[in-house]
Amino acid sequence: MSTGSPDSLLPDGETLEELSNSPRATFDVEKIRAEFPVLDQRVNGHPLIYLDNAATTQKPRSVIEAIGSYYSNNNANVHRGVHELSQRATVDFEQSREKVRNLIGASSIEEIIFVRGATEGINLVAQTFGRTRVRAGDEILITTMEHHSNIVPWQMLCEQVGAKLKVVPINDRGEISLDEYESLLGEKTRLVAAAHLSNALGTINPVHEMVRLAHEKDIPVLLDSAQGTSHLEVDVKDIDCDFLVLSGHKMYGPTGIGALYGKKEHLSAMPPYQGGGDMILSVTFEKTTYNELPHKFEAGTPNIAGAIGLGAAIDFLESCGVKALMEHEHEVLVYGEEALRNLPEVRLIGEAKEKSSVLSFVVAGVHPHDLGTILDHQGIAIRTGHHCAQPTMERFQVPATARASIACFNTKQDIDALIRGIKSAIEVFT
Ligand code: 7TS
């Protein structure tokens, strides 16, 4: 059963191609909102305003239906049945892989490995590529703004092999300096692992330059694009990164599914991550031979429904038009930043020149958790805490921030409600 793209999101009479080529392409946020059933509810007596998209995005109807349709019509295991249902499930599962490939501009589906999420993708690279390439005394270079998922797997690897973790500092706006970055790329650096778009600050890193500088010294680069693929145009061939991870649930897809992109030359040379069914060509007690890419890295029954849901999410993203979506989100972000700057009690954390989708801030006299609770009483969902980026919090000398994170369905009215809520919290606490 094909998941199909939700053509209803297109402005009347326009085809997808016309929309993406058209300079007057409009972004109809009300049509988009209507695609998200969860938004149509009241929370604590108020219309839901969902501003926690960096934690997980809401899901459009087409994604929910694609998952339901797989279980209602086609449920079977993939890659092993001659029967009709297994063949349908396999076709839809593999079509989703092709959709991921196309979205990020990879050369081949051999370079797209389905994983549980960005976290698993990074751990896979650390424990396969890392374990075979990194030796005692070598270095892995990350940045200060990483999510714990892009810190801890490298620390574990460093402990296992006796390597060292090096960290690129960030300035008060939450940006790295390319000069400092370049000076940390040394003879012992075996890999750079960096956020594409920071979940805690919203900083978009200069990934093209970072990759170019690393490659000048033959150092491969992994990009953590967990936040990137729903907010930015991502082309792995253009960026020339060696690895990139993405996360289904942060790009309107389901939880428990993501993808690892790796250049074929690396993936071919890497040992498997886990052993089990589907990742083998033949097994005897004496010897096992491994399957072709990408299956070599996909042991066991995969998250079939998740992959199909991710495929539908990619259809959704493409039907919105990633460019139009970026413009819309940028407008809402800039509107939010200006409104927050107008509140003297508010300090924005993360003011990079190149920024997307994240409003991270602290309010003098109001603990972020109290703010989060007051906003929740008004039906407004934000995240408060360290956002799994404790070193970033430490850099800004705050224990936690409040974070409103924007998706394609958010509006300036959502920001107005957020600002009203913050003002009411300031009144209560100061
Ligand atoms: N990398 C970044 C930059 C992230 O923002 C996250 C999740 C991950 C990795 C982990 O991704 P997953 O696919 O394994 O879930 N970030 C957040 C967040 O900001 N709030 O909750 C989860």
Side-chain angles (χ1 to χ4, degrees):
M1 189 121 197
S2 164
T3 49
S5 77
D7 286 339
S8 59
L9 295 182
L10 300 176
D12 289 343
E14 290 217 48
T15 64
L16 250 183
E17 199 170 41
E18 278 166 1
L19 178 68
S20 53
N21 293 334
S22 158
R24 64 188 168 76
T26 52
F27 188 79
D28 187 340
V29 73
E30 287 311 321
K31 262 190 185 174
I32 299 268
R33 290 180 67 80
E35 291 297 317
F36 288 82
V38 79
L39 296 178
D40 187 20
Q41 65 174 297
R42 296 178 85 80
V43 169
N44 294 323
H46 299 268
L48 169 64
I49 293 174
Y50 187 80
L51 285 166
D52 194 17
N53 294 288
T56 198
T57 53
Q58 295 300 347
K59 319 304 173 201
R61 186 171 289 108
S62 56
V63 168
I64 299 165
E65 285 174 357
I67 296 166
S69 169
Y70 161 69
Y71 281 124
S72 299
N73 301 308
N74 301 332
N75 177 52
N77 213 328
V78 290
H79 301 145
R80 50 197 94 192
V82 292
H83 63 78
E84 170 70 18
L85 292 194
S86 177
Q87 287 180 20
R88 280 192 227 153
T90 303
V91 166
D92 282 358
F93 179 76
E94 290 301 329
Q95 252 174 19
S96 287
R97 196 191 305 277
E98 166 58 21
K99 287 175 189 178
V100 174
R101 184 208 65 73
N102 185 55
L103 180 79
I104 63 172
S107 299
S108 151
I109 54 163
E110 293 175 295
E111 298 180 319
I112 307 296
I113 316 292
F114 280 126
V115 285
R116 268 195 305 126
T119 304
E120 190 176 50
I122 296 169
N123 277 279
L124 189 161
V125 176
Q127 290 302 315
T128 56
F129 186 82
R131 281 299 276 271
T132 48
R133 296 271 290 252
V134 181
R135 298 273 173 267
D138 287 346
E139 294 170 0
I140 307 280
L141 185 60
I142 62 172
T143 81
T144 304
M145 72 183 88
E146 300 310 318
H147 186 279
H148 296 164
S149 297
N150 202 27
I151 302 173
V152 184
W154 305 116
Q155 277 175 330
M156 290 165 64
L157 171 67
C158 286
E159 262 175 38
Q160 286 158 349
V161 303
K164 250 197 182 157
L165 195 65
K166 294 284 214 174
V167 184
V168 186
I170 53 177
N171 65 20
D172 290 342
R173 288 192 302 271
E175 298 159 325
I176 66 160
S177 129
L178 280 172
D179 287 343
E180 277 175 316
Y181 165 75
E182 188 175 12
S183 70
L184 283 163
L185 293 168
E187 282 200 345
K188 292 181 175 169
T189 314
R190 292 290 162 265
L191 184 83
V192 172
H196 194 175
L197 164 51
S198 154
N199 68 313
L201 304 172
T203 308
I204 304 169
N205 271 321
V207 292
H208 288 85
E209 291 84 347
M210 289 171 79
V211 171
R212 186 177 56 74
L213 290 169
H215 283 182
E216 275 175 12
K217 298 181 177 170
D218 283 332
I219 301 166
V221 179
L222 174 143
L223 291 181
D224 173 0
S225 200
Q227 301 289 345
T229 42
S230 59
H231 301 291
L232 307 171
E233 284 185 308
V234 177
D235 183 330
V236 290
K237 280 219 289 284
D238 186 42
I239 299 171
D240 201 25
C241 53
D242 297 85
F243 299 100
L244 178 140
V245 294
L246 59 86
S247 173
H249 73 100
K250 297 192 196 291
M251 49 192 288
Y252 310 107
T255 51
I257 188 74
L260 164 69
Y261 158 79
K263 282 185 177 169
K264 189 176 171 187
E265 68 203 72
H266 294 315
L267 294 178
S268 301
M270 281 153 56
Y273 179 44
Q274 295 178 326
D278 230 28
M279 53 76 72
I280 55 89
L281 284 180
S282 74
V283 177
T284 65
F285 288 122
E286 289 70 40
K287 187 173 169 51
T288 290
T289 53
Y290 302 129
N291 206 340
E292 308 287 320
L293 290 174
H295 309 294
K296 179 172 105 177
F297 291 102
E298 294 180 357
T301 299
N303 183 352
I304 304 165
I308 290 169
L310 175 58
I314 292 171
D315 288 340
F316 168 78
L317 269 173
E318 289 177 343
S319 74
C320 293
V322 180
K323 266 208 177 80
L325 182 149
M326 283 167 67
E327 274 171 29
H328 169 77
E329 290 180 353
H330 189 68
E331 239 179 67
V332 178
L333 178 77
V334 169
Y335 183 79
E337 281 191 328
E338 279 172 11
L340 287 170
R341 283 200 186 99
N342 282 335
L343 299 177
E345 297 86 351
V346 169
R347 173 185 165 207
L348 277 168
I349 305 290
E351 298 187 87
K353 279 194 205 101
E354 295 297 326
K355 211 185 137 172
S356 165
S357 63
V358 171
L359 295 163
S360 212
F361 56 95
V362 288
V363 182
V366 187
H367 191 279
H369 291 310
D370 292 331
L371 176 63
T373 305
I374 286 195
L375 292 175
D376 180 51
H377 289 153
Q378 301 173 22
I380 303 168
I382 63 160
R383 181 163 174 197
T384 60
H386 53 61
H387 318 296
C388 301
Q390 282 182 342
T392 308
M393 298 295 111
E394 201 181 317
R395 166 63 182 78
F396 287 92
Q397 296 184 315
V398 292
T401 73
R403 182 188 68 185
S405 48
I406 295 160
C408 64
F409 50 74
N410 289 120
T411 62
K412 291 181 183 172
Q413 288 78 16
D414 292 347
I415 300 294
D416 292 340
L418 172 71
I419 300 294
R420 279 197 300 277
I422 297 170
K423 283 182 177 163
S424 69
I426 293 170
E427 267 173 33
V428 171
F429 283 96
T430 60

